[in-house]
Amino acid sequence: MTAWIDAVLMPHLVIAPILLPMLTAALMLLLGEKRRKSKAALNILSCLAGLGIALALLLWVDAQPGPLAYGVYLPSNWPVPYGIVLVADRLSSLLLLLAAGVGLAAALFALARWHRAGVHFHPLFQIQLMGLNGAFLTGDLFNLFVFFEVMLVASYGLLLHGSGRARVGAGLHYIAINLLASSLFLLGTALLYGVTGTLNMADMAHKLAQIPSADRGLMHAGAALLGMAFLIKAAMWPLSFWLVPAYSAASAPVAALFAIMTKVGLYAVLRLWTLFFPAGLGPDGAALLPFGGPVLVWGGLATLAFGAIGALASQHPGRLAAYSIIVSAGTLLTAVGMHQTSVTGGALFYLLSSTLAVSALFLLVELIERSREVEDEAMLARPEDDDLLDLPGAMPEGVNLDDEEQALIGRAIPAAMAFLGLSFIVCTLLVTGLPPLSGFVAKFALLSALLNPAGLGAASAAAPIGASAWTLLALLIGSGLAATIALSRIGIRYFWAPQQRPAPKLRVIECLPILLLLAGCAVLAWQAGPVLRYTDAAAAALHGPRAYIEAVLSTQPVPPPRAPQQQQQGPTP
């Protein structure tokens, strides 16, 4: 049975993270806009199933021996490089699991009220997950562009969900800059196709090494345009001007889901640059940064410094959370640009921790600010909302009333402020990288890899530590200090000096997603050893792309079944 699952079921499961949200969204559209209860239930069930599928793929890929740790699937059953290719490896499986976890938390949080603030929230949410999953799984540039567009089109609708002047203004800027990035993506892809004659990533990586010197300028131009498009999406300074207004204006569950969108640009940079431009050695035997490596390193450092200054200057917790995304993007871009296996392994752990922490912070910000908010009339319960999902805290009828005939649902519970305060402290520890949670483990892994690439406890490497490594070390410590000051200031303002503000009214369905995300960070800290072993293995596979290229190029289509008459007569001599 186990052999049948590994040989028959698991290879076909590679396409499930794309088909599941696509079919769920299509079914939701057939239900119509008024059946919110059914669509909310479908959304949650689909997110749970997606989480289970992503976890199964991760365990399956990790159980394979080194060179075989790839699940290659040909949806059209055409030979490589002519057909569509999906590849599940350690990196893509890890990001699928992260997207599924953040998506489930955001979907649960939206059930409290945000899914009623506009139309088509649930279908757009599933299409967004489909675009994310497809971008992580695809093995060719054209479908990477397609899934980027699917993801972005859904994000346009989700960002504008709930309307409002600030949201619409930020949304228009967001749409304009992403259309520019998509144009650059298309131009870069066309140039690379022109010099290689293929769109398959593995085939392109194989052919790039054989390009004559006369065409290498065209190849570098195409790669630079492609990199520019990815760096806009990854929010590298100064291309990140759109992120803070857009993310701080989005609704809380949408902003939490957007926390992983910047990681898609970073994933594309990491995947393509390790495939197309593997690090080499100079004439003196020293390691050389690949094409674009210095831009990633110094651009990432500038992004990190910009994010730290922005966080320190932020007076609004939503903007502070958005600047925290820029800080994490700068850290990851610098680590990726250094092109060292140990640094990349620590960076992948940091990616997990920072994404979960910032997603939880976006959700928490809305609860903290609730006492200051003026209720939006569009989000108040309406008679037509009687068919809402029957979840705790979301029942508009049949509730108990107090002596003043006011519904008891939504009343502030005595532990509300305690929950908010403790959650805010945990988020602060995670974002700043203070012990004992996963944020500290991630920064410790990065710093130890920078200072001693040979490994913790081993003798220091013979090569001297470069200026960029020392700068990253200083900025990591400095950004943590800046985030500590900024978050402490907000914590004092909201929790230490309440100024007679009423306690916010919390619902279980709003608190549960935050607890789930913070619990994920706690599990990362508790299981830091196995998770770091996994991220180190993923980094080693990225920096040794030969196995990926061979796995994709050697995959053959499934032969068609023979006709019954031919089966009886046996093969033709």
Side-chain angles (χ1 to χ4, degrees), residues 318-354:
R319 292 180 67 85
L320 193 151
Y323 276 112
S324 298
I325 290 182
I326 294 180
V327 169
S328 68
T331 305
L332 292 167
L333 285 170
T334 308
V336 169
M338 289 184 172
H339 229 274
Q340 298 177 21
T341 302
S342 56
V343 176
T344 304
L348 292 179
F349 190 96
Y350 177 83
L351 185 151
L352 292 174
S353 175
S354 61

PDB file of all heavy atoms in Angstrom, residues 318-354:
ATOM      1  N   GLY A 318      -0.041  49.484  11.586  1.00  0.00           N
ATOM      2  CA  GLY A 318      -0.155  48.839  10.281  1.00  0.00           C
ATOM      3  C   GLY A 318       1.025  49.166   9.384  1.00  0.00           C
ATOM      4  O   GLY A 318       1.550  48.300   8.673  1.00  0.00           O
ATOM      5  N   ARG A 319       1.477  50.422   9.404  1.00  0.00           N
ATOM      6  CA  ARG A 319       2.642  50.799   8.606  1.00  0.00           C
ATOM      7  C   ARG A 319       3.904  50.148   9.165  1.00  0.00           C
ATOM      8  O   ARG A 319       4.801  49.769   8.415  1.00  0.00           O
ATOM      9  CB  ARG A 319       2.786  52.329   8.589  1.00  0.00           C
ATOM     10  CG  ARG A 319       1.676  53.037   7.839  1.00  0.00           C
ATOM     11  CD  ARG A 319       1.866  54.542   7.846  1.00  0.00           C
ATOM     12  NE  ARG A 319       3.044  54.943   7.087  1.00  0.00           N
ATOM     13  CZ  ARG A 319       3.050  55.142   5.780  1.00  0.00           C
ATOM     14  NH1 ARG A 319       1.947  54.955   5.077  1.00  0.00           N
ATOM     15  NH2 ARG A 319       4.138  55.513   5.159  1.00  0.00           N
ATOM     16  N   LEU A 320       3.957  50.008  10.475  1.00  0.00           N
ATOM     17  CA  LEU A 320       5.122  49.332  11.069  1.00  0.00           C
ATOM     18  C   LEU A 320       5.192  47.871  10.609  1.00  0.00           C
ATOM     19  O   LEU A 320       6.273  47.350  10.301  1.00  0.00           O
ATOM     20  CB  LEU A 320       5.036  49.416  12.595  1.00  0.00           C
ATOM     21  CG  LEU A 320       6.298  49.050  13.365  1.00  0.00           C
ATOM     22  CD1 LEU A 320       6.345  49.798  14.684  1.00  0.00           C
ATOM     23  CD2 LEU A 320       6.374  47.561  13.655  1.00  0.00           C
ATOM     24  N   ALA A 321       4.029  47.228  10.549  1.00  0.00           N
ATOM     25  CA  ALA A 321       4.016  45.839  10.065  1.00  0.00           C
ATOM     26  C   ALA A 321       4.460  45.774   8.606  1.00  0.00           C
ATOM     27  O   ALA A 321       5.182  44.855   8.201  1.00  0.00           O
ATOM     28  CB  ALA A 321       2.609  45.259  10.229  1.00  0.00           C
ATOM     29  N   ALA A 322       4.031  46.767   7.802  1.00  0.00           N
ATOM     30  CA  ALA A 322       4.439  46.779   6.389  1.00  0.00           C
ATOM     31  C   ALA A 322       5.947  46.996   6.263  1.00  0.00           C
ATOM     32  O   ALA A 322       6.613  46.373   5.427  1.00  0.00           O
ATOM     33  CB  ALA A 322       3.673  47.874   5.640  1.00  0.00           C
ATOM     34  N   TYR A 323       6.503  47.898   7.080  1.00  0.00           N
ATOM     35  CA  TYR A 323       7.963  48.092   7.043  1.00  0.00           C
ATOM     36  C   TYR A 323       8.701  46.843   7.521  1.00  0.00           C
ATOM     37  O   TYR A 323       9.841  46.599   7.110  1.00  0.00           O
ATOM     38  CB  TYR A 323       8.351  49.297   7.892  1.00  0.00           C
ATOM     39  CG  TYR A 323       8.236  50.605   7.151  1.00  0.00           C
ATOM     40  CD1 TYR A 323       7.274  51.546   7.504  1.00  0.00           C
ATOM     41  CD2 TYR A 323       9.090  50.898   6.089  1.00  0.00           C
ATOM     42  CE1 TYR A 323       7.160  52.747   6.832  1.00  0.00           C
ATOM     43  CE2 TYR A 323       8.971  52.098   5.403  1.00  0.00           C
ATOM     44  CZ  TYR A 323       8.011  53.016   5.772  1.00  0.00           C
ATOM     45  OH  TYR A 323       7.901  54.208   5.080  1.00  0.00           O
ATOM     46  N   SER A 324       8.085  46.055   8.397  1.00  0.00           N
ATOM     47  CA  SER A 324       8.712  44.803   8.827  1.00  0.00           C
ATOM     48  C   SER A 324       8.861  43.839   7.645  1.00  0.00           C
ATOM     49  O   SER A 324       9.826  43.067   7.585  1.00  0.00           O
ATOM     50  CB  SER A 324       7.873  44.150   9.934  1.00  0.00           C
ATOM     51  OG  SER A 324       7.798  44.984  11.062  1.00  0.00           O
ATOM     52  N   ILE A 325       7.911  43.890   6.710  1.00  0.00           N
ATOM     53  CA  ILE A 325       8.036  43.065   5.503  1.00  0.00           C
ATOM     54  C   ILE A 325       9.236  43.525   4.673  1.00  0.00           C
ATOM     55  O   ILE A 325       9.987  42.707   4.123  1.00  0.00           O
ATOM     56  CB  ILE A 325       6.741  43.139   4.681  1.00  0.00           C
ATOM     57  CG1 ILE A 325       5.616  42.402   5.422  1.00  0.00           C
ATOM     58  CG2 ILE A 325       6.927  42.545   3.299  1.00  0.00           C
ATOM     59  CD1 ILE A 325       4.319  42.370   4.672  1.00  0.00           C
ATOM     60  N   ILE A 326       9.442  44.853   4.585  1.00  0.00           N
ATOM     61  CA  ILE A 326      10.594  45.365   3.831  1.00  0.00           C
ATOM     62  C   ILE A 326      11.900  44.945   4.501  1.00  0.00           C
ATOM     63  O   ILE A 326      12.881  44.602   3.833  1.00  0.00           O
ATOM     64  CB  ILE A 326      10.480  46.889   3.696  1.00  0.00           C
ATOM     65  CG1 ILE A 326       9.261  47.248   2.834  1.00  0.00           C
ATOM     66  CG2 ILE A 326      11.738  47.486   3.085  1.00  0.00           C
ATOM     67  CD1 ILE A 326       9.039  48.721   2.636  1.00  0.00           C
ATOM     68  N   VAL A 327      11.931  44.964   5.841  1.00  0.00           N
ATOM     69  CA  VAL A 327      13.125  44.520   6.557  1.00  0.00           C
ATOM     70  C   VAL A 327      13.426  43.050   6.239  1.00  0.00           C
ATOM     71  O   VAL A 327      14.571  42.681   5.947  1.00  0.00           O
ATOM     72  CB  VAL A 327      12.935  44.717   8.076  1.00  0.00           C
ATOM     73  CG1 VAL A 327      14.048  44.010   8.848  1.00  0.00           C
ATOM     74  CG2 VAL A 327      12.932  46.195   8.427  1.00  0.00           C
ATOM     75  N   SER A 328      12.395  42.214   6.274  1.00  0.00           N
ATOM     76  CA  SER A 328      12.616  40.794   5.987  1.00  0.00           C
ATOM     77  C   SER A 328      13.019  40.599   4.521  1.00  0.00           C
ATOM     78  O   SER A 328      13.874  39.755   4.212  1.00  0.00           O
ATOM     79  CB  SER A 328      11.366  39.975   6.310  1.00  0.00           C
ATOM     80  OG  SER A 328      10.313  40.291   5.425  1.00  0.00           O
ATOM     81  N   ALA A 329      12.437  41.402   3.602  1.00  0.00           N
ATOM     82  CA  ALA A 329      12.818  41.287   2.189  1.00  0.00           C
ATOM     83  C   ALA A 329      14.280  41.663   1.989  1.00  0.00           C
ATOM     84  O   ALA A 329      15.013  40.998   1.251  1.00  0.00           O
ATOM     85  CB  ALA A 329      11.915  42.179   1.335  1.00  0.00           C
ATOM     86  N   GLY A 330      14.732  42.745   2.657  1.00  0.00           N
ATOM     87  CA  GLY A 330      16.133  43.141   2.541  1.00  0.00           C
ATOM     88  C   GLY A 330      17.072  42.085   3.087  1.00  0.00           C
ATOM     89  O   GLY A 330      18.118  41.793   2.483  1.00  0.00           O
ATOM     90  N   THR A 331      16.719  41.505   4.219  1.00  0.00           N
ATOM     91  CA  THR A 331      17.558  40.451   4.801  1.00  0.00           C
ATOM     92  C   THR A 331      17.661  39.264   3.855  1.00  0.00           C
ATOM     93  O   THR A 331      18.750  38.716   3.621  1.00  0.00           O
ATOM     94  CB  THR A 331      16.958  40.003   6.143  1.00  0.00           C
ATOM     95  OG1 THR A 331      16.804  41.139   6.990  1.00  0.00           O
ATOM     96  CG2 THR A 331      17.849  38.987   6.823  1.00  0.00           C
ATOM     97  N   LEU A 332      16.537  38.854   3.302  1.00  0.00           N
ATOM     98  CA  LEU A 332      16.541  37.672   2.435  1.00  0.00           C
ATOM     99  C   LEU A 332      17.262  37.945   1.115  1.00  0.00           C
ATOM    100  O   LEU A 332      18.002  37.083   0.620  1.00  0.00           O
ATOM    101  CB  LEU A 332      15.094  37.240   2.176  1.00  0.00           C
ATOM    102  CG  LEU A 332      14.362  36.688   3.416  1.00  0.00           C
ATOM    103  CD1 LEU A 332      12.875  36.573   3.160  1.00  0.00           C
ATOM    104  CD2 LEU A 332      14.940  35.336   3.802  1.00  0.00           C
ATOM    105  N   LEU A 333      17.070  39.138   0.536  1.00  0.00           N
ATOM    106  CA  LEU A 333      17.760  39.450  -0.721  1.00  0.00           C
ATOM    107  C   LEU A 333      19.275  39.457  -0.523  1.00  0.00           C
ATOM    108  O   LEU A 333      20.032  38.952  -1.366  1.00  0.00           O
ATOM    109  CB  LEU A 333      17.289  40.808  -1.249  1.00  0.00           C
ATOM    110  CG  LEU A 333      15.892  40.837  -1.874  1.00  0.00           C
ATOM    111  CD1 LEU A 333      15.446  42.266  -2.142  1.00  0.00           C
ATOM    112  CD2 LEU A 333      15.880  40.030  -3.175  1.00  0.00           C
ATOM    113  N   THR A 334      19.734  40.023   0.590  1.00  0.00           N
ATOM    114  CA  THR A 334      21.173  40.031   0.858  1.00  0.00           C
ATOM    115  C   THR A 334      21.705  38.618   1.013  1.00  0.00           C
ATOM    116  O   THR A 334      22.759  38.263   0.467  1.00  0.00           O
ATOM    117  CB  THR A 334      21.456  40.832   2.136  1.00  0.00           C
ATOM    118  OG1 THR A 334      20.845  42.105   2.041  1.00  0.00           O
ATOM    119  CG2 THR A 334      22.949  41.011   2.344  1.00  0.00           C
ATOM    120  N   ALA A 335      20.978  37.802   1.772  1.00  0.00           N
ATOM    121  CA  ALA A 335      21.425  36.423   1.998  1.00  0.00           C
ATOM    122  C   ALA A 335      21.450  35.637   0.690  1.00  0.00           C
ATOM    123  O   ALA A 335      22.384  34.871   0.432  1.00  0.00           O
ATOM    124  CB  ALA A 335      20.511  35.746   3.016  1.00  0.00           C
ATOM    125  N   VAL A 336      20.439  35.833  -0.141  1.00  0.00           N
ATOM    126  CA  VAL A 336      20.396  35.124  -1.424  1.00  0.00           C
ATOM    127  C   VAL A 336      21.537  35.586  -2.319  1.00  0.00           C
ATOM    128  O   VAL A 336      22.193  34.784  -2.996  1.00  0.00           O
ATOM    129  CB  VAL A 336      19.036  35.362  -2.106  1.00  0.00           C
ATOM    130  CG1 VAL A 336      19.052  34.865  -3.539  1.00  0.00           C
ATOM    131  CG2 VAL A 336      17.933  34.657  -1.317  1.00  0.00           C
ATOM    132  N   GLY A 337      21.814  36.897  -2.324  1.00  0.00           N
ATOM    133  CA  GLY A 337      22.874  37.424  -3.173  1.00  0.00           C
ATOM    134  C   GLY A 337      24.250  36.933  -2.783  1.00  0.00           C
ATOM    135  O   GLY A 337      25.161  36.915  -3.620  1.00  0.00           O
ATOM    136  N   MET A 338      24.458  36.544  -1.539  1.00  0.00           N
ATOM    137  CA  MET A 338      25.775  36.046  -1.103  1.00  0.00           C
ATOM    138  C   MET A 338      26.099  34.673  -1.674  1.00  0.00           C
ATOM    139  O   MET A 338      27.247  34.261  -1.673  1.00  0.00           O
ATOM    140  CB  MET A 338      25.836  36.010   0.419  1.00  0.00           C
ATOM    141  CG  MET A 338      25.907  37.402   1.015  1.00  0.00           C
ATOM    142  SD  MET A 338      26.097  37.388   2.771  1.00  0.00           S
ATOM    143  CE  MET A 338      26.393  39.127   3.082  1.00  0.00           C
ATOM    144  N   HIS A 339      25.060  33.947  -2.085  1.00  0.00           N
ATOM    145  CA  HIS A 339      25.276  32.699  -2.814  1.00  0.00           C
ATOM    146  C   HIS A 339      26.098  31.701  -2.017  1.00  0.00           C
ATOM    147  O   HIS A 339      26.995  31.049  -2.541  1.00  0.00           O
ATOM    148  CB  HIS A 339      25.939  32.980  -4.164  1.00  0.00           C
ATOM    149  CG  HIS A 339      25.248  32.297  -5.309  1.00  0.00           C
ATOM    150  ND1 HIS A 339      25.526  31.010  -5.693  1.00  0.00           N
ATOM    151  CD2 HIS A 339      24.283  32.722  -6.137  1.00  0.00           C
ATOM    152  CE1 HIS A 339      24.777  30.681  -6.714  1.00  0.00           C
ATOM    153  NE2 HIS A 339      23.999  31.708  -7.010  1.00  0.00           N
ATOM    154  N   GLN A 340      25.818  31.578  -0.728  1.00  0.00           N
ATOM    155  CA  GLN A 340      26.468  30.586   0.121  1.00  0.00           C
ATOM    156  C   GLN A 340      25.405  29.639   0.659  1.00  0.00           C
ATOM    157  O   GLN A 340      24.357  30.087   1.137  1.00  0.00           O
ATOM    158  CB  GLN A 340      27.192  31.259   1.284  1.00  0.00           C
ATOM    159  CG  GLN A 340      28.313  32.194   0.865  1.00  0.00           C
ATOM    160  CD  GLN A 340      28.945  32.887   2.058  1.00  0.00           C
ATOM    161  OE1 GLN A 340      28.851  32.430   3.181  1.00  0.00           O
ATOM    162  NE2 GLN A 340      29.583  34.012   1.804  1.00  0.00           N
ATOM    163  N   THR A 341      25.699  28.356   0.628  1.00  0.00           N
ATOM    164  CA  THR A 341      24.690  27.370   1.008  1.00  0.00           C
ATOM    165  C   THR A 341      24.233  27.541   2.449  1.00  0.00           C
ATOM    166  O   THR A 341      23.031  27.514   2.745  1.00  0.00           O
ATOM    167  CB  THR A 341      25.266  25.955   0.807  1.00  0.00           C
ATOM    168  OG1 THR A 341      25.670  25.806  -0.556  1.00  0.00           O
ATOM    169  CG2 THR A 341      24.233  24.904   1.132  1.00  0.00           C
ATOM    170  N   SER A 342      25.182  27.726   3.371  1.00  0.00           N
ATOM    171  CA  SER A 342      24.801  27.829   4.779  1.00  0.00           C
ATOM    172  C   SER A 342      23.980  29.089   5.041  1.00  0.00           C
ATOM    173  O   SER A 342      23.037  29.068   5.843  1.00  0.00           O
ATOM    174  CB  SER A 342      26.058  27.820   5.650  1.00  0.00           C
ATOM    175  OG  SER A 342      26.937  28.864   5.254  1.00  0.00           O
ATOM    176  N   VAL A 343      24.332  30.185   4.371  1.00  0.00           N
ATOM    177  CA  VAL A 343      23.568  31.423   4.552  1.00  0.00           C
ATOM    178  C   VAL A 343      22.162  31.267   3.982  1.00  0.00           C
ATOM    179  O   VAL A 343      21.174  31.717   4.578  1.00  0.00           O
ATOM    180  CB  VAL A 343      24.311  32.602   3.888  1.00  0.00           C
ATOM    181  CG1 VAL A 343      23.485  33.874   3.978  1.00  0.00           C
ATOM    182  CG2 VAL A 343      25.664  32.811   4.555  1.00  0.00           C
ATOM    183  N   THR A 344      22.055  30.622   2.825  1.00  0.00           N
ATOM    184  CA  THR A 344      20.726  30.410   2.233  1.00  0.00           C
ATOM    185  C   THR A 344      19.868  29.523   3.126  1.00  0.00           C
ATOM    186  O   THR A 344      18.657  29.751   3.263  1.00  0.00           O
ATOM    187  CB  THR A 344      20.873  29.774   0.840  1.00  0.00           C
ATOM    188  OG1 THR A 344      21.715  30.589   0.033  1.00  0.00           O
ATOM    189  CG2 THR A 344      19.530  29.639   0.159  1.00  0.00           C
ATOM    190  N   GLY A 345      20.467  28.499   3.744  1.00  0.00           N
ATOM    191  CA  GLY A 345      19.700  27.646   4.654  1.00  0.00           C
ATOM    192  C   GLY A 345      19.144  28.435   5.830  1.00  0.00           C
ATOM    193  O   GLY A 345      17.973  28.288   6.195  1.00  0.00           O
ATOM    194  N   GLY A 346      19.967  29.297   6.434  1.00  0.00           N
ATOM    195  CA  GLY A 346      19.468  30.148   7.520  1.00  0.00           C
ATOM    196  C   GLY A 346      18.424  31.129   7.027  1.00  0.00           C
ATOM    197  O   GLY A 346      17.457  31.437   7.746  1.00  0.00           O
ATOM    198  N   ALA A 347      18.601  31.630   5.786  1.00  0.00           N
ATOM    199  CA  ALA A 347      17.632  32.585   5.244  1.00  0.00           C
ATOM    200  C   ALA A 347      16.264  31.936   5.034  1.00  0.00           C
ATOM    201  O   ALA A 347      15.228  32.576   5.242  1.00  0.00           O
ATOM    202  CB  ALA A 347      18.155  33.150   3.924  1.00  0.00           C
ATOM    203  N   LEU A 348      16.241  30.675   4.631  1.00  0.00           N
ATOM    204  CA  LEU A 348      14.945  30.002   4.442  1.00  0.00           C
ATOM    205  C   LEU A 348      14.235  29.830   5.784  1.00  0.00           C
ATOM    206  O   LEU A 348      13.003  29.949   5.866  1.00  0.00           O
ATOM    207  CB  LEU A 348      15.157  28.645   3.772  1.00  0.00           C
ATOM    208  CG  LEU A 348      15.630  28.696   2.316  1.00  0.00           C
ATOM    209  CD1 LEU A 348      15.833  27.293   1.768  1.00  0.00           C
ATOM    210  CD2 LEU A 348      14.634  29.454   1.455  1.00  0.00           C
ATOM    211  N   PHE A 349      14.992  29.540   6.841  1.00  0.00           N
ATOM    212  CA  PHE A 349      14.362  29.474   8.171  1.00  0.00           C
ATOM    213  C   PHE A 349      13.824  30.853   8.566  1.00  0.00           C
ATOM    214  O   PHE A 349      12.726  30.971   9.105  1.00  0.00           O
ATOM    215  CB  PHE A 349      15.393  28.983   9.196  1.00  0.00           C
ATOM    216  CG  PHE A 349      14.805  28.660  10.547  1.00  0.00           C
ATOM    217  CD1 PHE A 349      14.457  27.368  10.874  1.00  0.00           C
ATOM    218  CD2 PHE A 349      14.585  29.664  11.479  1.00  0.00           C
ATOM    219  CE1 PHE A 349      13.899  27.068  12.109  1.00  0.00           C
ATOM    220  CE2 PHE A 349      14.031  29.382  12.720  1.00  0.00           C
ATOM    221  CZ  PHE A 349      13.691  28.076  13.031  1.00  0.00           C
ATOM    222  N   TYR A 350      14.617  31.895   8.288  1.00  0.00           N
ATOM    223  CA  TYR A 350      14.171  33.269   8.580  1.00  0.00           C
ATOM    224  C   TYR A 350      12.910  33.606   7.791  1.00  0.00           C
ATOM    225  O   TYR A 350      12.013  34.290   8.294  1.00  0.00           O
ATOM    226  CB  TYR A 350      15.296  34.230   8.237  1.00  0.00           C
ATOM    227  CG  TYR A 350      14.954  35.680   8.425  1.00  0.00           C
ATOM    228  CD1 TYR A 350      15.043  36.288   9.675  1.00  0.00           C
ATOM    229  CD2 TYR A 350      14.524  36.450   7.346  1.00  0.00           C
ATOM    230  CE1 TYR A 350      14.720  37.616   9.844  1.00  0.00           C
ATOM    231  CE2 TYR A 350      14.202  37.781   7.505  1.00  0.00           C
ATOM    232  CZ  TYR A 350      14.301  38.364   8.757  1.00  0.00           C
ATOM    233  OH  TYR A 350      13.967  39.683   8.916  1.00  0.00           O
ATOM    234  N   LEU A 351      12.830  33.139   6.542  1.00  0.00           N
ATOM    235  CA  LEU A 351      11.639  33.391   5.704  1.00  0.00           C
ATOM    236  C   LEU A 351      10.383  32.822   6.365  1.00  0.00           C
ATOM    237  O   LEU A 351       9.344  33.487   6.431  1.00  0.00           O
ATOM    238  CB  LEU A 351      11.856  32.775   4.327  1.00  0.00           C
ATOM    239  CG  LEU A 351      10.808  32.995   3.247  1.00  0.00           C
ATOM    240  CD1 LEU A 351      11.466  32.962   1.880  1.00  0.00           C
ATOM    241  CD2 LEU A 351       9.705  31.949   3.286  1.00  0.00           C
ATOM    242  N   LEU A 352      10.494  31.594   6.882  1.00  0.00           N
ATOM    243  CA  LEU A 352       9.336  30.974   7.542  1.00  0.00           C
ATOM    244  C   LEU A 352       8.905  31.791   8.752  1.00  0.00           C
ATOM    245  O   LEU A 352       7.730  32.142   8.927  1.00  0.00           O
ATOM    246  CB  LEU A 352       9.693  29.555   7.975  1.00  0.00           C
ATOM    247  CG  LEU A 352       9.940  28.518   6.894  1.00  0.00           C
ATOM    248  CD1 LEU A 352      10.413  27.220   7.516  1.00  0.00           C
ATOM    249  CD2 LEU A 352       8.683  28.283   6.089  1.00  0.00           C
ATOM    250  N   SER A 353       9.867  32.084   9.616  1.00  0.00           N
ATOM    251  CA  SER A 353       9.542  32.761  10.867  1.00  0.00           C
ATOM    252  C   SER A 353       9.003  34.166  10.625  1.00  0.00           C
ATOM    253  O   SER A 353       7.985  34.568  11.210  1.00  0.00           O
ATOM    254  CB  SER A 353      10.791  32.816  11.752  1.00  0.00           C
ATOM    255  OG  SER A 353      10.542  33.565  12.909  1.00  0.00           O
ATOM    256  N   SER A 354       9.664  34.940   9.747  1.00  0.00           N
ATOM    257  CA  SER A 354       9.241  36.327   9.541  1.00  0.00           C
ATOM    258  C   SER A 354       7.867  36.398   8.878  1.00  0.00           C
ATOM    259  O   SER A 354       7.061  37.276   9.208  1.00  0.00           O
ATOM    260  CB  SER A 354      10.280  37.060   8.694  1.00  0.00           C
ATOM    261  OG  SER A 354      10.414  36.456   7.417  1.00  0.00           O
TER     262      SER A 354
END
